[in-house]
Amino acid sequence: TYKEMFILLKKYGLNFDHNIETLQIDGVPFKKINVSVYSSNREKLLYYQTLYDRLKNNGEHFTVSMKYNNDADKETMEHIINSAKF
C-alpha cells in the first residue's frame, strides 16, 4: 500500500510530499495518491509517483503504480489508466 511506500522512502532518507484524492475509473472508486520524491536535502526532485489504490471486497488491495519525470509521460499513463475497464 502507499503507507508502506512512505515508510520505505523515509527509511532511505528521501523526502516527499503527497496528496490523496478520490475518483472513479469505469464506475469503480479509487484513491489516487500523488507523490513527489526529493533527495534527502530536498535540493533535487527525483521523480513523481502516482498510485491508484482500491480495497476490494475480499479485503485485498488492488494498486496501480506509475513513476514519471515529465508531464508527457504522466498524461500518457493517466489516459491508459482512466480508460481501463473494471
Side-chain angles (χ1 to χ4, degrees), residues 10-69:
K10 289 177 183 177
K11 177 180 176 181
Y12 290 106
L14 298 173
N15 288 296
F16 61 94
D17 296 323
H18 74 283
N19 69 351
I20 300 173
E21 56 188 276
T22 58
L23 72 149
Q24 292 202 2
I25 301 171
D26 193 35
V28 177
F30 280 85
K31 283 184 183 177
K32 180 180 178 184
I33 302 96
N34 299 298
V35 184
S36 301
V37 180
Y38 300 91
S39 60
S40 59
N41 58 8
R42 282 195 172 263
E43 288 183 5
K44 182 178 180 184
L45 174 67
L46 301 175
Y47 60 88
Y48 299 102
Q49 186 164 3
T50 300
L51 296 100
Y52 294 82
D53 185 66
R54 171 169 171 44
L55 186 61
K56 300 187 318 184
N57 291 340
N58 63 0
E60 294 179 358
H61 283 269
F62 173 76
T63 304
V64 176
S65 175
M66 59 184 212
K67 278 187 188 175
Y68 52 93
N69 59 10

